Amino acid sequence: ELSAQGQETMRRDATKLAEARATLAEHEPELSRLLREKELAEAEEAHAREDRNARIERGEVAAALKLDEFDGAMITQALARLALAQGIGGVDRLHEMLGEVTELSEIV
């Protein structure tokens, strides 16, 4: 009886495996297309990241933002305001603390 149950289980498992393989074979073109699209998107993202990093290294971003015209306190304030606008938790306390600093109280 156990042998018969074991054989029946093996037959069911073999059927399920065959069905799964058939499903994979049927959807293989779609899976391949999606994989190609994913690889293309990842390559484009990597290229964009490399381009952005190269521009940062060349100083283009700093020059465009005229960061050399800001002192450390002003940059800190700008980052705090950006964080506030993005809703980053805990930054309101940072903003309050920056307002307590004499040099920053006018720009906060």
Side-chain angles (χ1 to χ4, degrees), residues 26-81:
E26 176 184 344
H27 295 286
E28 193 278 330
E30 178 71 6
L31 291 172
S32 293
R33 183 187 64 78
L34 292 172
L35 182 59
R36 284 190 306 274
E37 287 179 12
K38 176 184 168 267
E39 290 169 351
L40 179 63
E42 287 174 346
E44 289 173 354
E45 182 179 334
H47 176 70
R49 184 175 33 256
E50 290 168 6
D51 181 56
R52 182 181 64 244
N53 289 340
R55 292 178 67 213
I56 289 171
E57 287 179 27
R58 287 191 305 266
E60 289 181 26
V61 174
L65 295 175
K66 299 181 181 180
L67 292 181
D68 57 337
E69 296 178 13
F70 294 97
D71 62 19
M74 293 171 76
I75 290 174
T76 302
Q77 178 61 27
L79 291 174
R81 287 185 179 207

